[in-house]
Each structure stands twice: as C-alpha cells, then as structure tokens.
Amino acid sequence: MPPRPAPAPAARRLPARFHLWWTVSTLSATGDAMLAFALIWIATGHGPLAVALVSTLSVVSRILLTLLGGVLGDRHGPRRLLLVTTVVRLVCLAALAGLSLLTTGIAFLALAAGVNAVVGAFQQPAAVVLPRLLIAHEGQFARALARISGSLHAARILGVGLGGLAITALPLAAILGLNALVVALSLLVLGVIRLRVDAGAAPAAPAPGTLVALAEGIRSVHALRLGPLLLAVALVCAAVLPAVAVVLPSMARSHGWSAGQASLLEAGWAAGTLAVTLLISATGTIARLGIPLVGGPAVVCAALAALALPVGAGPAVALAVLVGAGTAVFTTHVAPTLLRQAPRDRMIRFQSLMTVVQLLPPALLNAPLAGLVGTGRAAAALLLAAGMAGAASLVAARGLDRLGSAGAHDRADAPSASEAR
C-alpha cells in the first residue's frame, strides 16, 4: 500500500507555541473589553460629555501613536516590544487599581482610557505580526491570522457582556486587578515561547531615525503599489463601522423597534463576521483573491442598500449578518495579502499603517453620519455607506490588477533575524 502523502504546509496543524499565544491573547482581549465597557459605563454616570471624552481618548491616541509603534516594532522586534509594553501595561493597571480606590471621577476615567489607548497603540501592530514568527510554515499565516482575528472578535463580544456583569458586582479596582493578572500571564507566555527563525535571513540593517523609518514605510506602500488595497480597506471600514455603531441603532429606533431588536442588529453583524472568520481559520483562504477582495465589499454594498429599504426587524437582522459576512470575507484575505507584500524589515510598520487606515475613517465619519441620522435620514446614511462599500469593491479590483493577484497570494517572505528578537 503506497504511503499517504504528507499534508501541504498550509494544512498542517498549527504549532503548540502558536496556540499558547492564541489562548493568552484571547484572554487579554476579553479583559480589555471588560475594562473598556466598565470605563464607559461609569462615564455615563457623569453625563454625555464624559462618555465622549473617554471614547475620543480611546481612539485618537491609537491613531496618533500606532505608526510610531510600528517603527519601534520593526527596529526592536515584535517580541521585545511586546515584552516592554506588557510590563508597562502591568505597572499602569496596578497603579490605576490603587488610584480607583480614591476616585472614579472624569479625570481618572480620562487617564485610564488614555493610558490603555497609548499602550495599545504600541502593542497592537507587533501583536498582529508575532503569529508569523510562531507558525511552522508561511502557508499557515492566513489561517493563523484568521484564527486570532475570530477569537479576538469573540473575546470582545464576551468581554462586553462580562464587563456589564462585573461592574454591577465588583468595584472598578477589582476589574483592573483581574486585567493585571491576565497581563501578567501574557508576560509569562512571551518569556517562554520560542520564535521561528528561518536560516539564511538577511541581517538587520542599521536602524534609521524614527521619522526616516516612518517615511520609508509609507514610501514602500507606493513602491509596492499597495495604495489601492489600503484605500479599499479604508472604504470598507468607513462603510461598515459607522453604519453598525451609529446608523443601525438609530434606524431601529425610528422604526419603533424594541431595544432587544435593535441589539440584534449589531449581534447579527458580529455573528456573520465571527462565523466567516472561524471558517477561514479552519479551511484556509481562497486562492483566487479577486473573489473575496471584490466580492466581500460587493456583498456589504448590497446588504447596506437593502437595509435602507423599509424592511422588518427579522430581515434587517439577516441583512446585518450579511454585512458581517462580507466584511469578514474581505478582511481575512486582505490582511495576509498586504502583510505578505511587506518587506521583511517593515512588516510592523505596514501593520501599524493598516491599523490607522482602519481607525481613521470611522473617527471622521461617525459624527457626520450621526448628524444625518439625527435629521431622520437614516436611509440616506445607509445608501452613502453602501456607496463606499461599492467603491471599495472597484478599488480592490484595480489594486489586484496593479499588484498581480498570483504574486500577492503566493509570495511568502521569510521573517528576518531582527524580527525574531
């Protein structure tokens, strides 16, 4: 009987070191979501201005500092940066827990939100790139990234629910203390996991200055013709995130639906996103990138346009699921595609740029779309979002033409020795 052929690298079991990091990063994301909800909930007791302040600090700090985090990650390596920032987070959580015993006023809430956002801005790009150094083969990268993305999405949903329960039963100091324990566990895992280092990797080049390194990362996007794909990411985020967070709840209220029915819209979007992400993590990505990168935004466009019609609560939830599914089909393919194109010494800068591209459009559009909805024109806001999703589909097609879909899917740059530090 002939021997059974060995499985392709992409189909092989992901290594234990990856699963260890996957587990601890999921726990950490759950704790972050718990704390974020607790801060927002306490802020509601101080009025809408306090809520706006806490929310703004959480987003603006990440937008301003994430690119710097990418530069530092490429210079010092993702694990070294994560070790340092995890220690800083642990110290900050312990200090905030002690301070919360004295006050939970607006100044404290702003401080806590700002500190979390600043540390997260330096951590997040390196945390996304680290799995590439934990897998056994480059072909597993898309599956690993999808698995982490799906579990983090689930952790945020679970964390908000747990945060609602925790803040009613526990003081804020206890929630901060629980977060500190999870962060300490993350620190332990970072200290023991061993990273993959490919033989023959190029030696690290002398580190340029921070501004020079940042400019190099941005110039690389132009040189590699990745601008259209990044623009497609921005358009999808601009279409989906404000629609889910701002437009759909207001539309539900204008239709006279209950709070429970309104909450199902966001839950449906989350369920569609999570289902597709976990499916991709198990089966791998689609070889022909035109299908997900063009088709995903097209599905989002059609679903948002249908939501602008006078539909009932049940069909609206189903359409929200489609929005989530289309979003996940696009994001689970575009992220590894872009990171595969990144030069080995600039991967974290690429990831930080992707993070800014995702955060900035919703930050700019939330208020205008909220104003449009406030005048009773939720349908117009949804049609505007649908138009942006449709534009993303066209831009992604152009991006694939410029990049070459075969090269984008098959290229597998090995990590350099400096990245494994």
Side-chain angles (χ1 to χ4, degrees), residues 24-29 31 86 90 177-187:
V24 77
S25 61
T26 303
L27 289 174
S28 182
T86 301
L90 183 59
L178 288 173
N179 253 331
L181 289 176
V182 174
V183 170
L185 179 61
S186 302
L187 186 61

Side-chain angles (χ1 to χ4, degrees), residues 165-410:
L165 295 174
I167 198 61
T168 59
L170 299 171
L172 182 59
I175 298 175
L176 287 162
L178 288 173
N179 253 331
L181 289 176
V182 174
V183 170
L185 179 61
S186 302
L187 186 61
L188 177 63
V189 169
L190 281 168
V192 300
I193 56 175
R194 300 184 65 181
L195 306 186
R196 164 187 141 219
V197 181
D198 291 6
T210 299
L211 293 179
V212 172
L214 184 56
E216 285 179 354
I218 295 174
R219 281 198 301 268
S220 295
V221 172
H222 176 72
L224 294 170
R225 300 185 175 185
L226 299 178
L229 286 183
L230 283 174
L231 178 57
V233 172
L235 287 168
V236 168
C237 291
V240 172
L241 299 182
V244 172
V246 175
V247 180
L248 291 183
S250 300
M251 180 198 74
R253 181 175 288 275
S254 68
H255 289 340
W257 299 346
S258 68
Q261 289 172 317
S263 67
L264 287 177
L265 292 172
E266 184 169 353
W269 172 78
T273 303
L274 182 59
V276 170
T277 303
L278 294 179
L279 177 63
I280 295 296
S281 74
T283 63
T285 51
I286 300 171
R288 296 180 60 186
L289 285 176
I291 296 174
L293 296 190
V294 177
V299 170
V300 172
C301 173
L304 288 173
L307 280 165
L309 300 174
V311 296
V317 172
L319 289 169
V321 172
L322 279 180
V323 173
T327 303
V329 166
F330 174 77
T331 57
T332 53
H333 288 80
V334 76
T337 298
L338 288 169
L339 285 176
R340 281 193 186 102
Q341 297 303 305
R344 291 174 298 178
D345 60 341
R346 301 174 195 175
M347 282 198 303
I348 304 179
R349 270 172 280 179
F350 264 60
Q351 175 56 39
S352 67
L353 186 59
M354 286 172 59
T355 300
V356 172
V357 165
Q358 293 170 53
L359 290 176
L360 189 56
L364 295 176
L365 288 175
N366 274 339
L369 288 179
L372 192 60
V373 172
T375 61
R377 289 179 282 182
L382 286 168
L383 289 175
L384 178 61
M388 288 188 286
S393 184
L394 298 176
V395 171
R398 181 187 175 198
L400 285 176
D401 286 341
R402 293 183 63 185
L403 185 63
S405 58
H409 184 74
D410 295 334

Side-chain angles (χ1 to χ4, degrees), residues 99-123:
L99 189 58
S100 69
L101 296 173
L102 303 176
T103 178
T104 56
I106 296 177
F108 170 82
L109 296 175
L111 175 66
V115 166
N116 267 341
V118 168
V119 178
F122 290 99
Q123 282 188 320

